[in-house]
Amino acid sequence: MSRKSDTPIGEEVPSGNSTAGARIRKWSRTIHRDLSFFFAGLICIYAISGICLNHKRDFNSNYSLKRYELFLEGDFPCASSAVGKEQILSFMDQLPDKETYTRYSAVGESGVKIFFKGGSSLDVDLSDGSARYEKLRKRPVLGAFSRLHYNPTRLWTWFSDIFAVCLLLIVLTGLVMLKGTKGLWGRGGIELLAGIIVLLLFILL
């Protein structure tokens, strides 16, 4: 008596190759998903800070700079050689923001430049008391994001190397986790080729 097959009538028995392909796609989906979730925050940070660095000529992501035109009260006109720390502190009291004095230097015979902690400065024309105050402040969030591009610590260098390898895994698993017309041998392959062509155009032209 012949043994009946467990395979339903009309169902194709999967070959060894297709079974291996299904396993590869299954593991690719798992790796792609887990790595994407784990590095989602870092990818967003790099994307945001990367856009800022691309436009660094128009926007400084590390510092904000504001300029103020002022007229200071005091005994004007006077020579720069006659200015001392007492006059410097008097000028600082008239600023719209509190600053920490570091040093000052004469600018010609009738000018003085005062430097503050953090990079801010005050230029005073001692002939009439007109002044230009440049307020420099660190951007706490965007500045920290941009700092990551410059490998601030040895530990971060190792972590960013791991991140780069995982990005490659995310790409490679994304290429193979779908089959058929939406996968690498269908629409996905066309989109991959189109992206490579655009990249080559930017490199060669």
Side-chain angles (χ1 to χ4, degrees), residues 114-180:
I114 308 169
F115 299 92
F116 305 122
K117 185 177 180 180
S120 299
S121 63
L122 177 67
D123 286 283
V124 184
D125 186 345
L126 299 174
S127 63
D128 59 1
S130 61
R132 184 177 67 178
Y133 170 46
E134 293 189 345
K135 176 184 175 182
L136 191 68
R137 293 290 184 269
K138 285 186 177 182
R139 299 185 190 274
V141 177
L142 289 179
F145 287 178
S146 299
R147 184 170 173 264
L148 297 180
H149 284 270
Y150 302 103
N151 292 336
T153 64
R154 184 68 176 174
L155 183 61
W156 178 256
T157 300
W158 283 103
F159 182 74
S160 60
D161 287 343
I162 294 172
F163 171 58
V165 173
C166 289
L167 280 181
L168 290 174
L169 288 175
I170 290 174
V171 171
L172 294 176
T173 54
L175 293 177
V176 301
M177 69 182 186
L178 292 178
K179 68 173 184 177

Side-chain angles (χ1 to χ4, degrees), residues 106-119:
V107 180
E109 296 182 356
S110 60
V112 65
K113 187 177 181 89
I114 308 169
F115 299 92
F116 305 122
K117 185 177 180 180

